Each structure stands twice: as structure tokens, then as C-alpha cells.
Amino acid sequence: MHKLAERIANKDLRAMARAITLVENDDPEKLDLLSDLFSIKKQAHYIGITGSPGAGKSSLVNRLLTHLRSKGLTVAVIAVDPTSPFSGGALLGDRVRMNDHFTDPGIYIRSMATRGSLGGLSRATKDTIRICDAYGFDVILVETVGVGQSELDIMKVVDTTSVVLTPNSGDVLQIFKAGIMEIADLFIINKADLPGVRKLKTQLEEFMMISGARGWQPPIVETVSTENKGIESLWGELNRHNQYLYETEQGHKQRKQQLQYEVYDLMREELWQDIYQTIEKDSEKQKRLDDANADPYQLAKAWLAEWKQGGG
């Protein structure tokens, strides 16, 4: 077993942080490490929280953390931020907004950059979830950048996807157009003390009917994070969905589909890295790339065929 995996299994926090850095930097050892960690996973509940900027996601997560700790549960928070175009690091730094929990040994908070990932979630996000699971956290919260077509990838890395909306924001039509309705397991109307809550709930219910019935009917929970209202109900619904995943045939199918996504993503990434390195090390190919007028279709077709012939 990998040395870091052994230390993480023994709840070595520094080893966990080191392992996350290792997967973020795409270290050659990461697949062996993650395979060892997978064998000791504890099956934490993976919860995704997404929503438009200004919906109050971070304050909601902050309140949920307090609630979970009051129940004696340990929590890891992975805050996925937009990437800085200069440093490549996380831009928003959600840990600053959760400073109430910095000194709590039962909570671990890590900001991660999307690093240009089209899904808003880097490959390292799923790997980090696995690492935190192996460490032994009860709940792993993933707070993502925002809602949009690119945000659909969240369903591939968490068990329960929660979409945060606010009254009169106009977000509900956008999430319907983007396909978020199909991947949301729970809708949270935050800032529910504002006018327009009833209208928003009606819209959500109508759009869910249009989207078509399925095994799980996403509940709608009202919260006011600034006043700590609705957090108990929110946790109850999150728990109910987790039970659904493990106790029903439809839930089993959903978990099977998620496994397929993960296997294909890993294969796609490894193939891409192999092809990329092959091209980067070939001076003749690099010269061809210096020609701005080169036909990209012909280059891609020819180089892929060459890579296959070479035993790729």
C-alpha cells in the first residue's frame, strides 16, 4: 500500500493535504495512491451545492456545517473556485467566508481551482473527494462555481446535487434551459424571507412536470441562511435522498451510471495525457504547430493515426 494511503487511513491530516496536492499536480503516482485509498473508503455522503453567484451558497454551507457538527458529524468542504488566469490558483477563496470553522478539528476546508475544466469541476475534485472519504469524514460538501450548461458535471462526482435559487432572480428559466432540472436532486430556495417565494416554487413545480417524472421527485426546501432557518429540513431531505440511493433500484442505477462516468473520464484523461506528451516531445510536430495556417483537422487525424500505430 502507498505510504500516504496508510497515513491517511490513520487520520494523518498532513498526509491528506499532501495527497490532494499530489493529485492536483497530476503526479505519476496518483493512480496507484487513489486505488489504494479506494480500498479503504468509508462511504461518506457526497453533497454538491451549486447556484448562481449571490445565491448565498457559502453562507448556507456555513450554517449547514454548524448543524452537522452539532450532530457530531465530521465534514470536509471542497470549494471549487474559478481559476486565476495568472497563478492558476483558486480565485475566490471560499475558506475566507467560512472562517468560523477554521479551528474546528472536525472540519476540513479546501479551495480548489477549476483549472479550465469545462464542467466547472477539475478531475482533481473527484480525487479529492475520494481522499477525504478514505480519511474518514462523514459528509463531504462540494460547493461549485455557479449554474450553467457547464455545471452539469457536478452530478458525476457527488451523490446528491443541490441547486440553490433565490426569489425574483430569474434563475429558474436559465436552469431549465441548461438542463439542470434533470440533474438536481434537491432545490433550495435561499433568502426565503424575500417576496416571490410562492411564485418561484410554482415555477419549479411546473418545470419539473415538463421535465418528466422519474423515480426521485426533487423536494423544494426554503431556507434563510442569515437567520439559520430551514437548515434542519434541508439536512433531512439530503439524508432522505442518500437513503434512496442505497435502498431503491433507481438509486442503484444512478450510482452505476456515476461509476461509468468516472471510469470513462479517467480513461479519457490518461489517453489525452499520453497523446499530449507524445506531441510535445516531437520537434517536427511542434514546428507544424508554429504554422498558424496549418489544417488542424488533418494534423489531428494524422497524429492520432500515428499514435495508434505506435501502440498507443
Side-chain angles (χ1 to χ4, degrees), residues 59-211:
S59 59
L60 188 67
V61 168
N62 204 37
R63 292 292 191 180
L64 187 55
L65 285 175
T66 301
H67 184 73
L68 295 178
R69 291 299 291 139
S70 72
K71 293 183 174 296
L73 298 173
T74 57
V75 191
V77 181
I78 303 168
V80 185
D81 290 336
T83 304
S84 165
F86 304 105
S87 66
L91 200 59
L92 297 180
D94 283 87
R95 285 178 293 181
V96 175
R97 297 196 291 274
M98 301 176 197
N99 56 11
D100 292 348
H101 304 285
F102 272 160
T103 58
D104 188 338
I107 292 177
Y108 178 77
I109 303 172
R110 177 89 176 208
S111 289
M112 300 187 70
T114 57
R115 302 198 174 190
S117 170
L118 292 179
L121 295 165
S122 66
R123 172 62 239 175
T125 303
K126 181 65 176 186
D127 297 337
T128 300
I129 290 172
R130 295 280 193 215
I131 293 168
C132 292
D133 191 353
Y135 181 86
F137 287 103
D138 299 309
V139 179
I140 300 171
L141 298 176
V142 182
E143 182 194 340
T144 67
V145 179
V147 165
Q149 182 65 44
S150 65
E151 206 61 6
L152 297 178
D153 267 7
I154 190 173
M155 68 172 288
K156 300 177 184 179
V157 301
V158 299
D159 301 320
T160 304
T161 303
S162 308
V163 178
V164 184
L165 300 167
T166 53
N168 302 318
S169 64
D171 285 338
V172 67
L173 183 58
Q174 293 304 315
I175 67 169
F176 179 71
K177 288 165 61 179
I180 303 292
M181 286 290 181
E182 283 75 15
I183 62 104
D185 300 306
L186 173 71
F187 289 104
I188 304 169
I189 300 179
N190 195 29
K191 304 181 182 180
D193 53 338
L194 299 176
V197 173
R198 183 181 295 275
K199 179 182 177 182
L200 178 55
K201 286 187 72 173
T202 301
Q203 285 182 313
L204 282 172
E205 289 165 354
E206 290 175 350
F207 280 133
M208 279 191 280
M209 289 180 63
I210 294 171
S211 298

Side-chain angles (χ1 to χ4, degrees), residues 26-45:
D26 200 27
D27 190 281
E29 295 183 25
K30 76 171 189 178
L31 289 183
D32 290 334
L33 168 62
L34 290 166
S35 180
D36 287 341
L37 288 172
F38 186 80
S39 67
I40 56 174
K41 68 175 185 174
K42 310 295 197 308
Q43 290 192 328
H45 187 185

